[in-house]
């Protein structure tokens, strides 16, 4: 699990998000998770040419009222730690 600098993601969201409420229920009880999750393209076939499937690294932001999950790209937001 990759941990993120919560101050860095908060600063990014404060700069980029005009509306800081849940798009589903309208409350402003959003919680930024402190880890990066990875979404992988699902495919049951193994490609013989070694083509890699798409991967997206993201930080979840969860509405504590309705459970809606908003994913923020770790790469585009600049919070992905250097390897």
């Amino acid at each position: 699990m990759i941990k993120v600098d919560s101050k860095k993601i908060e600063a990014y969201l404060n700069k980029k998000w005009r509306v800081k409420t849940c798009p589903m229920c309208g409350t402003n009880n959003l919680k930024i998770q402190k880890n990066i999750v990875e979404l992988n393209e699902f495919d049951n076939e193994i490609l013989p040419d070694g083509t890699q499937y798409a991967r997206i690294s993201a930080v979840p932001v969860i509405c504590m009222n309705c459970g809606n999950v908003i994913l923020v790209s770790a790469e585009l937001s600049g919070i992905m730690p250097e390897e």
Side-chain angles (χ1 to χ4, degrees), residues 6 12 14 18 20 26 28-30 38 42-43 48 50 56-58 61-62 64 68 72 74 77 81:
S6 58
Y12 175 82
N14 284 331
R18 292 184 299 166
K20 296 174 180 70
N28 62 353
N29 192 5
L30 299 175
E38 187 174 88
F42 180 76
D43 195 326
I56 299 170
S57 298
V61 179
I62 300 173
M64 300 309 289
N68 183 39
V72 179
S77 64

Side-chain angles (χ1 to χ4, degrees), residues 22 25 61-70:
C22 174
C25 70
V61 179
I62 300 173
C63 176
M64 300 309 289
N65 180 58
C66 73
N68 183 39
V69 178
I70 303 163

Side-chain angles (χ1 to χ4, degrees), residues 18-77:
R18 292 184 299 166
V19 178
K20 296 174 180 70
T21 58
C22 174
M24 295 303 200
C25 70
T27 64
N28 62 353
N29 192 5
L30 299 175
K31 181 178 179 186
I32 301 169
Q33 297 297 291
K34 296 184 178 1
N35 58 327
I36 294 175
V37 297
E38 187 174 88
L39 305 170
N40 293 304
E41 177 183 6
F42 180 76
D43 195 326
N44 286 327
E45 294 181 29
I46 298 173
L47 301 178
D49 66 357
T51 302
Q52 291 187 351
Y53 298 113
R55 287 191 294 192
I56 299 170
S57 298
V59 175
V61 179
I62 300 173
C63 176
M64 300 309 289
N65 180 58
C66 73
N68 183 39
V69 178
I70 303 163
L71 298 174
V72 179
S73 169
E75 286 89 6
L76 291 176
S77 64

